[in-house]
Amino acid sequence: MTIGNIFKINIEKEVRYFQYFYSDSNYLGGDLIWIFNLNEDTENLNEILNSGYSFYFYTTVETGVKLKKWKLLGNLEIPEEMKSHLPFRWRDIETGIWYKLQYDKKTPLGTTLTNEQLKIPIVSFQFPV
């Protein structure tokens, strides 16, 4: 898997695209991907990239490729403004402590979150969270 790979997702009656960003086994799924806004069929990588991003999440890219749900179209460099490791928050069920996870860093936030900390996207390793 190469950073910057762009894949086409074939879902019933819909086409979407995503770009592989990086892998981190500390996060659910391990592979961070960015979903593009474009939902029309094309193989033009610049058109896909220029459509902007809708959202991001963690998954296992290789599984989707093996199941033939995702097709590799090519590779484009990750835009400079996107070259950062996004923070997520996670709560340890046993202790009730919230943590900020950012790539290989795990920072405790406490059991009560500030309004600013509540804006950090949540990731779940344990259910329920």
Side-chain angles (χ1 to χ4, degrees):
M1 183 94 53
T2 304
I3 291 173
N5 279 354
I6 295 179
F7 295 84
K8 180 179 182 179
I9 307 169
N10 287 309
I11 308 169
E12 299 173 25
K13 301 180 184 177
E14 187 177 358
V15 175
R16 294 301 298 252
Y17 304 90
F18 71 86
Q19 186 171 30
Y20 167 71
F21 191 60
Y22 67 83
S23 293
D24 185 345
S25 60
N26 291 317
Y27 291 121
L28 186 64
D31 301 330
L32 181 67
I33 65 172
W34 305 87
I35 307 298
F36 291 101
N37 290 323
L38 187 66
N39 59 3
E40 298 172 7
D41 196 21
T42 186
E43 301 232 344
N44 183 319
L45 298 181
N46 287 317
E47 182 181 354
I48 295 167
L49 183 66
N50 291 335
S51 73
Y53 296 96
S54 297
F55 58 94
Y56 53 87
F57 68 92
Y58 283 91
T59 188
T60 51
V61 174
E62 288 184 13
T63 301
V65 172
K66 286 179 185 175
L67 293 173
K68 298 184 180 178
K69 300 289 184 184
W70 303 336
K71 176 186 172 190
L72 176 63
L73 296 180
N75 185 288
L76 285 176
E77 186 173 344
I78 302 287
E80 193 61 41
E81 66 272 12
M82 304 303 275
K83 288 186 178 178
S84 63
H85 297 287
L86 300 172
F88 291 89
R89 65 183 160 100
W90 167 76
R91 190 183 80 179
D92 184 308
I93 299 259
E94 292 178 16
T95 66
I97 296 173
W98 285 95
Y99 291 88
K100 177 180 171 184
L101 307 173
Q102 192 163 12
Y103 196 53
D104 61 350
K105 296 179 184 132
K106 182 177 174 183
T107 308
L109 299 174
T111 55
T112 305
L113 299 176
T114 65
N115 286 339
E116 198 63 32
Q117 292 167 334
L118 286 169
K119 294 177 184 176
I120 302 170
I122 193 167
V123 67
S124 174
F125 297 112
Q126 303 166 331
F127 297 95
V129 168

